[in-house]
Amino acid sequence: INVITPRPVLASAADLIAYQEQFLQGLTAAVETARLAAPDSLIMAMSLEHILHGLAAVREPMAAAAAQSGLPWATWHDAAHAALGCYN
């Protein structure tokens, strides 16, 4: 699925905030579209760290998407953490 947003203009902090809001609103619609395929799980293929500040800010919309969809999600921040943990 794709999260549909207008082409972002990121010339200022206000532009980034506007894009964050557009993306997160689009995510809600994209989750509903994805559910039509009756998947077993979903993958967030965009690193939300690029538009959200801090891990808590990233986890919040992903928890909301998981609750909305009723499905498990694979995310970059969880995959990276698990992969780096293999090297301890």
Side-chain angles (χ1 to χ4, degrees):
I1 61 168
N2 289 318
V3 175
I4 299 172
T5 63
R7 182 181 177 125
V9 175
L10 301 173
S12 69
D15 291 341
L16 178 58
I17 291 169
Y19 182 67
Q20 290 170 351
E21 292 170 358
Q22 292 167 352
F23 185 88
L24 295 175
Q25 289 170 356
L27 178 59
T28 300
V31 168
E32 290 305 312
T33 300
R35 290 181 62 212
L36 295 173
D40 294 325
S41 61
L42 295 167
I43 299 170
M44 171 52 82
M46 178 183 173
S47 298
L48 292 178
E49 294 84 352
H50 290 100
I51 62 169
L52 300 172
H53 181 70
L55 192 52
V58 170
R59 289 190 186 280
E60 184 179 329
M62 294 315 307
Q68 177 188 353
S69 67
L71 297 168
W73 282 71
T75 59
W76 161 251
H77 57 274
D78 290 330
H81 179 75
L84 291 172
C86 291
Y87 294 101
N88 287 334

